[in-house]
């Protein structure tokens, strides 16, 4: 029997089941909200028909009040809107659970992009040797970050997991019980989480999902690759930012960093302990059981005593390999696959589980050096700040010492220096992989990198066992990045450091601030060109480069189709590693279940293989296509920067969007702005509230603005054939437009069309809407599609289903925002607090429904 198309599988397994289970949910007898389930569908219908007739959110809500709540008080009407919010939040959870449960049915787990298909394709193309050689060097590293885009508290995540299991098994009674539990479980967090709280939330995914998914992948490779005993490459690694990411987060302390490292170590031993107990139930043989009992005791002690240093991961592996040999020689290789699987996990996770990164902004290091100079605690010339860039570097490579953080009065200096000592402490207990990177945000010049290198040496590390990682973010910094790295490679001392690190240099490139700074096309193209040039420069000096992409959730921050993105890099970009940040609801949506986690990890592996082994130089830009891409990016850049410079740009975000409400959601430990100034400044805007606010407006500006104008300019100049040729020839450009189409698909200007008549912002809204229509028109033209995302109909159906669920929520949010504006314009206080709370509460369901909107 042939397999149904993906869209049909989605309709059968997700849409139909949602209708059934939502019907059950809407009729559950919750206390004090018995009428909500009956009234919400009526309100939803009014929203749909209202926008079709050109009504605005205020008109729709007021009409609902008049028709169904005519005799109710203002307080009762407000209460009903809050109940609608609560209901819709839970409908989104239900949809998430159903979609998670159906993941294996909707997606072909053994289809294109799976490890099985990678192997089959290698056989078909007679490239099995090339594949084996590449897999021995290639690595994938998702880096979990605590950026505030996860609106589900831990209790709700647990319900989603349990609901998915019950739905998959068609246990209707269990589903009803869980839906009842969901109806009474609060979503709103009354207090901001600490960085340690954020770490605990993400460690749940490591313990319950990644541990098993990565183990399965490694088991498969070890059993399906030639000479498996020679295959020692731990192909998937996990990076971890909660507890180590200090950039803009004053709440991350050294104690928290150490506590997170301890929890990671304890958690991996808890997983090992469980696996040893499972092995003991099978390996009840003489000469084996006794050894397993010893290992069980070692793991159990290590769960609770994080200071144990009397055995290493190598010791543990030696004992297990001894058991393995005994089973082969004396016990007919019984349960050998289970022993091997456990050994593979220890090879993957060691004692560290995930690699904790330290990150801080370059400006913070400048302040630290000012303190060091002031206290004359190092051999730095008194005129250090007046030196040229080259002179600073020559000074910085020479310094060394044993600075004591407690000798400084400035708290920031104490924290920065103590964080370096913390790295050494973590390496001693969790192994070198426990913490071995220091990332420098806002890197602009070589001295920013050398200051960190010098600090490592000033903290008693003459030959630091740590990668110093620059993060280039803005468009000018990306352009300058190759010159920065060239100057460092030519420095004998720093080049020696790189040699000790395996002739490897890690470089992080950021999408978030790049898009905010230069717009969608230019940010992506600037990163691509920077990668090409950094690869060329690094290869010239014998350095292998590892690119680490700051990809957030949405296309506007580098998200979107990850597989297609990495499969389109070409031969001019170093691609032996794929490293990217994953955050918030993108973690739960892509890696929240064993099936989805393994599937998405395999897709990442296959994208690297596709680019390096199968596609070869097919993805490289021709000279003509590169010139076309340059032209498109420059036009887009100018269009976006002109838009950004519009006198109403910031005030529109501040007055008409949900920007200021992000700080009230208590979803992350970091402040929502980089500075504490009362005045809103563009440079202080964090990427997540910036992108998220456009998403809440359903305008998604960062994901498309400038693209339409760039394509239109090509057509008007008579160069449309060049743009069309670029689209046909180049996978990278097609992926960019595919991801931008997702941003357009998630836009709905009918929600805010009332702003067209606003006396202050009407013309500004028209400017945005015109670029939306222009981008949609030309993306459809160049792709030959009849509708946005015609090449991914199941993905479009998922987006449309979610947007349909939250349409009443969006309407309530816009209504509340308008009420806030009216109250403030009339200089009243009235119900201001109530409506501001309504706006804040509406953020949760909207973000969760979008899954990758911030």
């Amino acid at each position: 029997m042939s397999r149904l198309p993906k869209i049909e599988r989605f309709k059968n397994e997700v849409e139909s089941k949602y209708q059934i289970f939502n019907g059950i949910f809407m009729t559950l007898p919750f206390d004090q909200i018995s009428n909500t389930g009956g009234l919400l569908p009526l309100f939803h219908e009014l929203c749909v028909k209202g926008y079709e007739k050109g009504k605005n959110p205020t008109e729709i809500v007021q009409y609902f009040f008049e028709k169904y709540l005519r005799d109710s008080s203002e307080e009762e009407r407000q209460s009903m809107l809050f109940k609608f919010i609560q209901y819709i939040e839970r409908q989104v959870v239900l949809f998430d659970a159903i979609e998670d449960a159906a993941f294996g049915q909707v997606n072909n787990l053994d289809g294109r992009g799976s490890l099985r298909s990678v192997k089959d394709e290698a056989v078909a193309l007679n490239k099995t040797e090339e594949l084996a050689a590449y897999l021995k060097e290639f690595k994938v590293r998702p880096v979990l970050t605590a950026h505030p885009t996860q609106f589900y508290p831990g209790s709700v995540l647990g319900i989603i997991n349990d609901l998915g299991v019950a739905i998959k098994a068609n246990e209707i009674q269990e589903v009803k019980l869980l839906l009842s539990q969901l109806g009474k479980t609060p979503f709103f967090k009354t207090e901001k989480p600490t960085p340690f709280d954020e770490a605990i939330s993400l460690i749940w995914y490591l313990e319950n999902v990644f541990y098993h998914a990565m183990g399965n992948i490694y088991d498969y490779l070890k059993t399906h690759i030639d000479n498996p005993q020679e295959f020692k490459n731990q192909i998937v690694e996990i990076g971890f930012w909660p507890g180590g990411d200090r950039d803009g987060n004053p709440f991350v302390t050294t104690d928290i960093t150490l506590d997170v490292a301890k929890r990671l170590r304890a958690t991996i031993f808890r997983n090992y302990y469980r696996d040893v107990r499972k092995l003991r139930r099978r390996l009840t043989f003489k000469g084996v059981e006794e050894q397993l009992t010893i290992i069980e005791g070692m793991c159990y002690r290590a769960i609770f005593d994080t200071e144990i240093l009397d055995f290493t991961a190598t010791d543990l592996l030696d004992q297990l390999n001894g058991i393995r040999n005994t089973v082969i020689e004396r016990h007919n290789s019984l349960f050998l696959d289970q022993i091997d699987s456990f050994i593979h996990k220890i090879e993957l996770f060691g004692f560290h589980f995930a690699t904790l990164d330290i990150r801080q902004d370059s400006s913070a290091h400048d302040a630290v050096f000012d303190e060091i100079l002031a206290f004359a605690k190092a051999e730095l010339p008194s005129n250090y700040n007046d030196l040229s860039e080259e002179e600073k570097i020559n000074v910085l490579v020479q310094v060394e010492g044993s600075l004591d953080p407690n000798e400084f009065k400035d708290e920031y200096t104490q924290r920065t220096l103590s964080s370096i000592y913390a790295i050494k402490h973590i390496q001693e207990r969790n192994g070198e992989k426990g913490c071995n990177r220091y990332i420098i945000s806002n890197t602009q010049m070589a001295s920013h990198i050398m200051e960190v290198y010098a600090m490592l040496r000033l903290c008693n590390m003459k030959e630091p066992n740590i990668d110093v990682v620059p993060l280039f973010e803005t468009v000018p910094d990306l352009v300058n990045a190759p010159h920065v790295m060239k100057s460092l490679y030519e420095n004998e001392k720093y080049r020696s450091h790189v040699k000790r690190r395996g002739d490897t240099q890690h470089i992080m490139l950021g999408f978030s601030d790049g898009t905010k700074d230069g717009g969608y096309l230019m940010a992506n193209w600037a990163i691509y060109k920077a990668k090409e040039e950094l690869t060329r420069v690094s290869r010239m000096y014998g350095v292998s480069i590892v690119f680490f992409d700051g990809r957030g959730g949405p296309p506007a921050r580098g998200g979107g189709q990850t597989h297609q993105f990495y499969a389109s890099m070409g031969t001019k970009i170093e691609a032996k590693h794929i490293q990217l940040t994953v955050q918030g609801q993108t973690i739960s949506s892509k890696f929240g279940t064993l099936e989805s986690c393994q599937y998405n990890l395999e897709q990442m592996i296959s994208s690297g293989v596709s680019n390096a082994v199968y596609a070869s130089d097919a993805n490289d830009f021709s000279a003509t296509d590169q010139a076309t891409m340059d032209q498109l990016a420059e036009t887009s850049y100018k269009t976006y920067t002109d838009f950004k410079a519009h006198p109403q740009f910031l005030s529109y975000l501040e007055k008409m969007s949900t920007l200021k409400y992000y700080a009230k959601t208590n979803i992350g430990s970091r402040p929502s702005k980089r500075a504490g100034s009362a005045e809103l400044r563009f440079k202080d805007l964090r990427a997540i509230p910036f992108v998220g606010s456009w998403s809440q407006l359903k305008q998604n500006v960062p994901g498309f603005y400038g693209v339409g104008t760039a394509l239109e300019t090509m057509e008007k100049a008579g160069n449309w054939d060049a743009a069309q040729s670029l689209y046909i020839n180049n996978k990278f450009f097609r992926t960019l437009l595919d991801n931008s189409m997702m941003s357009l698909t998630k836009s709905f200007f009918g929600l805010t069309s009332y702003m067209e008549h606003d006396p202050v912002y009407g013309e500004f809204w028209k400017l945005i809407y015109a670029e939306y229509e222009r981008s949609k028109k030309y993306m459809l033209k160049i792709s030959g599609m009849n509708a946005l995302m015609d090449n991914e109909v199941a993905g479009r159906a998922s987006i449309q289903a979610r947007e349909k669920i939250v349409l009443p929520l969006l309407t309530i949010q816009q209504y509340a925002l308008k009420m806030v504006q009216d109250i403030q314009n009339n200089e009243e206080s009235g119900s201001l607090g109530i409506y501001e709370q309504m706006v804040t509460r509406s953020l949760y369901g909207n973000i969760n429904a979008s899954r990758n909107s911030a």
Side-chain angles (χ1 to χ4, degrees):
M1 183 176 177
S2 62
R3 188 176 173 91
L4 289 171
K6 187 174 181 179
I7 182 60
E8 294 301 322
R9 301 196 300 270
F10 177 83
K11 288 178 179 178
N12 293 340
E13 299 296 331
V14 180
E15 286 187 345
S16 296
K17 285 189 175 181
Y18 175 73
Q19 295 302 324
I20 294 169
F21 289 116
N22 186 49
I24 295 172
F25 177 60
M26 298 293 276
T27 57
L28 289 175
F30 298 124
D31 294 342
Q32 298 180 342
I33 53 173
S34 56
N35 293 329
T36 311
L39 287 174
L40 181 55
L42 299 174
F43 180 55
H44 185 279
E45 185 179 3
L46 288 179
C47 291
V48 173
K49 291 182 177 178
Y51 291 119
E52 288 175 354
K53 295 177 181 178
K55 301 293 184 183
N56 64 51
T58 301
E59 291 172 330
I60 292 170
V61 172
Q62 292 293 356
Y63 181 72
F64 171 76
F65 288 158
E66 286 300 312
K67 187 168 185 179
Y68 297 107
L69 299 173
R70 178 174 295 177
D71 297 326
S72 60
S73 65
E74 183 65 21
E75 289 76 14
E76 289 171 329
R77 293 179 175 187
Q78 292 167 351
S79 176
M80 181 56 69
L81 294 181
F82 275 110
K83 289 170 184 175
F84 282 168
I85 291 172
Q86 291 176 305
Y87 246 86
I88 296 165
E89 286 171 344
R90 287 149 181 81
Q91 285 179 313
V92 173
V93 171
L94 176 59
F95 192 88
D96 281 347
I98 292 170
E99 199 163 35
D100 286 346
F103 190 89
Q105 286 76 35
V106 174
N107 299 278
N108 186 356
L109 302 184
D110 291 322
R112 188 165 184 80
S114 68
L115 289 179
R116 176 176 293 183
S117 76
V118 166
K119 182 188 175 188
D120 291 346
E121 193 167 0
V123 172
L125 296 174
N126 196 28
K127 289 193 172 185
T128 53
E129 290 185 8
E130 292 96 323
L131 173 63
Y134 182 68
L135 290 178
K136 287 178 182 177
E137 296 183 292
F138 179 60
K139 286 186 184 294
V140 166
R141 183 189 290 191
V143 179
L144 309 186
T145 80
H147 288 17
T149 61
Q150 176 55 272
F151 282 67
Y152 290 143
S155 55
V156 176
L157 287 172
I159 295 172
I160 293 175
N161 182 73
D162 295 343
L163 257 178
V165 173
I167 289 167
K168 201 169 186 178
N170 284 319
E171 295 176 349
I172 304 299
Q173 191 57 38
E174 181 69 11
V175 170
K176 289 181 71 173
L177 285 171
L178 289 167
L179 290 175
S180 296
Q181 178 188 359
L182 184 65
K184 292 179 173 291
T185 301
F187 279 43
F188 190 76
K189 298 177 182 179
T190 56
E191 296 181 0
K192 290 175 73 71
T194 67
F196 187 72
D197 294 332
E198 292 169 333
I200 295 303
S201 296
L202 292 189
I203 287 173
W204 184 93
Y205 291 100
L206 296 179
E207 180 177 5
N208 295 285
V209 184
F210 281 98
Y211 180 78
H212 305 287
M214 290 167 61
N216 291 344
I217 288 171
Y218 198 45
D219 288 348
Y220 182 90
L221 289 173
K222 292 282 279 188
T223 54
H224 288 82
I225 197 168
D226 294 336
N227 302 316
Q229 295 306 316
E230 296 179 8
F231 185 78
K232 298 294 184 183
N233 177 34
Q234 293 81 45
I235 196 164
V236 184
E237 303 171 332
I238 297 293
F240 204 77
W241 274 16
D245 183 8
R246 287 159 164 72
D247 182 10
N249 193 339
F251 307 112
V252 177
T253 64
T254 302
D255 285 342
I256 283 178
T257 302
L258 293 171
D259 286 344
V260 170
K262 288 177 184 177
R263 179 58 69 97
L264 285 167
R265 187 179 193 271
T267 305
I268 192 57
F269 274 110
R270 184 159 61 236
N271 281 41
Y272 290 163
Y273 176 73
R274 292 171 185 149
D275 277 0
V276 174
R277 288 182 63 84
K278 290 176 185 175
L279 275 178
R280 280 194 61 199
R281 290 177 65 87
R282 296 291 171 262
L283 301 180
T284 54
F285 317 138
K286 186 176 181 181
V288 173
E289 187 177 22
E290 301 86 349
Q291 292 299 312
L292 279 176
T293 301
I294 293 172
I295 294 174
E296 180 184 343
M298 292 165 63
C299 292
Y300 184 79
R301 283 189 297 119
I303 294 172
F304 301 102
D305 188 349
T306 55
E307 299 301 315
I308 287 179
L309 296 173
D310 56 358
F311 67 98
T312 65
T314 302
D315 296 332
L316 202 55
L317 286 170
D318 287 344
Q319 292 191 48
L320 282 164
N321 279 313
I323 290 171
R324 185 181 190 277
N325 293 334
T326 301
V327 168
I328 292 172
E329 294 167 4
R330 296 168 52 188
H331 302 295
N332 307 106
S333 297
L334 281 172
F335 306 114
L336 188 64
D337 59 332
Q338 295 184 31
I339 300 172
D340 285 342
S341 184
F342 186 35
I343 289 173
H344 296 162
K345 289 187 176 72
I346 296 171
E347 289 175 346
L348 282 171
F349 301 111
F351 288 3
H352 63 284
F353 211 164
T355 301
L356 188 63
D357 287 337
I358 305 296
R359 184 172 76 126
Q360 182 55 284
D361 191 272
S362 61
S363 60
H365 302 143
D366 291 339
V368 170
F369 267 80
D370 287 342
E371 278 288 297
I372 293 174
L373 281 168
F375 284 86
K377 294 295 183 181
E379 296 176 3
L380 292 171
S382 57
N383 66 334
Y384 171 79
N385 287 325
D386 299 323
L387 298 178
S388 68
E389 181 73 357
E390 185 178 354
E391 289 171 333
K392 281 184 178 180
I393 291 171
N394 289 332
V395 167
L396 291 169
V397 295
Q398 302 296 330
V399 297
E400 59 182 60
S402 298
L403 295 180
D404 183 352
N406 295 319
E407 291 183 3
F408 295 89
K409 295 180 180 180
D410 179 66
E411 184 182 0
Y412 235 79
T413 302
Q414 291 177 0
R415 285 189 178 190
T416 302
L417 296 177
S418 63
S419 72
I420 294 172
Y421 284 103
I423 296 175
K424 187 175 182 180
H425 182 88
I426 292 167
Q427 289 188 353
E428 289 170 351
R429 282 150 183 79
N430 294 19
E432 192 267 337
K433 285 188 176 180
C435 187
N436 59 10
R437 296 202 301 196
Y438 196 116
I439 300 167
I440 310 152
S441 301
N442 193 31
T443 299
Q444 298 176 328
M445 55 192 75
S447 59
H448 286 157
I449 302 167
M450 290 310 303
E451 282 180 346
V452 171
Y453 176 75
M455 281 195 297
L456 295 175
R457 288 168 54 83
L458 286 168
C459 291
N460 203 25
M461 297 185 193
K462 290 187 178 180
E463 296 185 351
N465 204 21
I466 297 166
D467 293 309
V468 181
V469 186
L471 167 50
F472 300 104
E473 300 180 75
T474 67
V475 172
D477 292 341
L478 288 165
V479 171
N480 192 46
H483 305 289
V484 169
M485 297 313 301
K486 184 175 185 294
S487 67
L488 290 177
Y489 294 150
E490 290 179 348
N491 183 280
E492 183 181 347
K493 291 277 188 179
Y494 187 80
R495 183 64 184 86
S496 296
H497 166 70
V498 173
K499 187 175 183 62
R500 289 194 301 274
R501 299 300 294 161
D503 279 324
T504 300
Q505 173 68 52
H506 292 238
I507 295 179
M508 186 174 179
L509 302 170
F511 285 80
S512 302
D513 280 344
T515 305
K516 183 165 72 75
D517 172 60
Y520 178 73
L521 269 189
M522 178 55 88
N524 282 276
W525 182 231
I527 287 171
Y528 187 96
K529 290 202 295 184
K531 282 185 175 181
E532 279 196 340
E533 190 60 18
L534 284 165
T535 298
R536 186 190 67 79
V537 169
S538 298
R539 287 174 177 172
M540 188 169 66
Y541 289 90
V543 176
S544 177
I545 204 162
V546 173
F547 288 116
F548 174 22
D549 291 314
R551 292 168 65 87
R557 299 188 58 239
Q561 302 296 336
T562 301
H563 175 272
Q564 288 89 327
F565 175 82
Y566 285 109
S568 67
M569 289 293 100
T571 60
K572 296 178 183 177
I573 292 175
E574 197 71 71
K576 289 181 182 177
H577 290 247
I578 289 177
Q579 297 193 7
L580 70 159
T581 56
V582 190
Q583 66 194 39
Q585 79 276 59
T586 309
I587 296 174
S588 56
S589 63
K590 287 187 175 292
F591 304 101
T593 67
L594 179 59
E595 283 184 338
S596 63
C597 182
Q598 187 167 332
Y599 175 84
N600 282 297
L601 289 175
E602 289 188 20
Q603 290 287 314
M604 280 192 235
I605 294 171
S606 76
S607 67
V609 172
S610 175
N611 179 61
V613 180
Y614 301 150
S616 187
D617 60 355
N619 291 326
D620 291 342
F621 275 83
S622 68
T624 302
D625 285 343
Q626 181 162 334
T628 303
M629 190 70 215
D630 279 334
Q631 190 174 346
L632 286 166
E634 286 295 337
T635 304
S636 175
Y637 183 51
K638 184 180 186 308
T639 304
Y640 178 79
T641 50
D642 287 348
F643 171 67
K644 191 176 66 174
H646 194 287
Q648 290 180 329
F649 183 87
L650 282 178
S651 63
Y652 179 82
L653 270 178
E654 191 170 26
K655 300 287 177 56
M656 307 300 279
S657 82
T658 59
L659 182 67
K660 68 179 182 180
Y661 296 93
Y662 269 78
K664 302 178 181 181
T665 55
N666 293 328
I667 56 166
S669 64
R670 260 194 343 177
S672 60
K673 289 198 303 180
R674 283 190 171 87
S677 60
E679 179 189 359
L680 181 63
R681 299 180 301 179
F682 184 80
K683 67 177 184 178
D684 295 335
L685 283 175
R686 292 199 180 280
I688 289 170
F690 175 75
V691 173
S693 296
W694 289 111
S695 173
Q696 294 281 328
L697 283 169
K698 288 297 160 187
Q699 294 176 5
N700 289 321
V701 160
F704 69 81
Y705 203 94
V707 179
T709 297
L711 291 171
E712 181 184 61
T713 302
M714 293 290 285
E715 182 187 53
K716 288 183 175 179
N719 295 327
W720 183 255
D721 287 347
Q724 188 73 66
S725 176
L726 174 64
Y727 183 83
I728 293 169
N729 296 336
N730 191 265
K731 193 172 186 177
F732 175 76
F733 184 59
R734 290 199 303 275
T735 300
L736 282 188
L737 293 196
D738 283 349
N739 285 341
S740 191
M741 282 189 192
M742 186 186 296
S743 291
L744 293 173
T745 302
K746 291 183 176 183
S747 297
F748 174 50
F749 279 80
L751 180 72
T752 56
S753 60
Y754 70 91
M755 295 182 187
E756 179 181 1
H757 308 292
D758 188 273
V760 178
Y761 298 106
E763 293 304 314
F764 188 75
W765 183 91
K766 290 177 186 177
L767 188 68
I768 300 169
Y769 181 57
E771 184 63 15
Y772 162 80
E773 288 289 343
R774 189 180 297 114
S775 297
K776 181 179 177 181
K777 171 187 173 181
Y778 281 100
M779 281 194 226
L780 291 177
K781 179 176 180 178
I782 200 169
S783 66
M785 297 181 195
N786 294 317
L788 296 171
M789 295 183 68
D790 252 359
N791 59 337
E792 182 49 65
V793 288
R796 183 177 65 197
S798 177
I799 291 171
Q800 290 171 340
R802 290 171 175 277
E803 296 296 322
K804 182 179 178 181
I805 291 169
V806 297
L807 184 63
L809 192 58
L810 292 164
T811 304
I812 293 170
Q813 182 185 88
Q814 283 298 314
Y815 165 74
L817 278 170
K818 192 67 169 62
M819 292 298 292
V820 168
Q821 293 163 14
D822 290 346
I823 291 171
Q824 290 175 335
N825 290 339
N826 295 325
E827 297 183 352
E828 301 173 1
S829 55
S831 301
L832 180 64
I834 295 294
Y835 289 112
E836 288 190 326
Q837 184 184 359
M838 200 176 288
V839 175
T840 303
R841 283 299 312 278
S842 65
L843 292 171
Y844 289 70
N846 288 333
I847 284 287
N848 286 327
S850 295
R851 283 207 159 184
N852 69 343
S853 61

